[in-house]
Amino acid sequence: MNRGVWKSLAATPLALACFLLSGAGQAAEPQAPAKPDLARGQAIASQVCAACHAADGNSTGGAYPKLAGQHSEYLYKQLVDFKAQPGKTPARNNPIMAGMVAALSDQDMRNVSAYFASQTAKPGAARNKDTVPLGEKIYRGGIAEKGVPACAACHGPTGAGMPSQYPRLSGQWAEYTAAQLVAFRDDTRGNNAPMHTIGGRLSDKEIKAVADYIAGLR
């Protein structure tokens, strides 16, 4: 700052105090991320993600999750968690996904997340009518004796989730949902402490039932 300005402010303590409290002269705050570019996101989806998740995010089988219609904030967080950092194990350790996101910039991850969020998810269906009652009980009421809360409490009655906090579950492949619950239980997926606790209290039968029920939510 110009020396003359400092002298002028110093001569009037009140003016100097106001100047400092206003934040003038401080370092600029980090810029907010640029608005997502859906066209760029679509290009990334087609070039990098389509082989497993399909170009529109509606994967064709339960080995890979449906991404269409998922909350962009949730997708972005998962990509960040997959991305390896120097000297650190990724928060979500998956060698395949680590390789996929390695070359993506932070803005690229925001772009592709927003693109998939803008797509329409194809509905799924429960396939095992014998386990639907158990799956519904767990999803809507939890298992009190095991300390398992209702899935609906966080993910909503229709499985729509809540942006930036809880992912959309409705219509997701039952095989994928079950695999994630097992991974949380077995601590092979470690980027969500509450789900690790919940998964650890569910049996294989309960996991399969609630995952199949979730697939039919809409």
Side-chain angles (χ1 to χ4, degrees), residues 39-112:
R40 174 60 181 158
Q42 182 177 20
I44 295 169
S46 298
Q47 297 164 11
V48 180
C49 315
C52 296
H53 300 285
D56 68 346
N58 283 290
S59 62
T60 58
Y64 305 105
K66 296 178 184 178
L67 304 182
Q70 186 57 270
H71 305 306
S72 60
E73 300 94 334
Y74 177 79
L75 291 176
Y76 170 74
K77 180 185 183 299
Q78 300 312 302
L79 292 175
V80 170
D81 285 355
F82 282 128
K83 200 172 182 70
Q85 302 296 332
K88 295 182 180 179
T89 300
R92 188 172 177 183
N93 197 8
N94 183 305
I96 295 175
M97 283 303 302
M100 293 293 145
V101 301
L104 298 181
S105 68
D106 186 81
Q107 190 60 47
D108 285 337
M109 292 191 292
R110 294 181 187 277
N111 292 339
V112 74

Side-chain angles (χ1 to χ4, degrees), residues 126-135 205 209 212:
R127 297 178 179 177
N128 190 342
K129 62 181 179 61
D130 295 332
T131 66
V132 165
L134 175 59
K205 179 182 178 181
D212 188 60

Side-chain angles (χ1 to χ4, degrees), residues 105-198:
S105 68
D106 186 81
Q107 190 60 47
D108 285 337
M109 292 191 292
R110 294 181 187 277
N111 292 339
V112 74
S113 297
Y115 167 73
F116 279 129
S118 73
Q119 301 304 293
T120 301
K122 294 180 180 178
R127 297 178 179 177
N128 190 342
K129 62 181 179 61
D130 295 332
T131 66
V132 165
L134 175 59
E136 182 176 22
K137 174 182 178 294
I138 296 169
Y139 189 86
R140 301 200 177 281
I143 309 175
E145 60 272 23
K146 288 187 173 184
V148 174
C151 309
C154 294
H155 298 281
T158 63
M162 184 182 300
S164 79
Q165 296 187 53
Y166 305 108
R168 171 181 175 155
L169 300 181
S170 60
Q172 187 59 265
W173 295 108
E175 299 91 334
Y176 179 78
T177 300
Q180 297 313 299
L181 288 172
V182 170
F184 282 128
R185 183 183 69 188
D186 296 348
D187 206 21
T188 55
R189 177 176 172 179
N191 69 334
N192 189 306
M195 286 306 304
H196 169 67
T197 300
I198 292 168

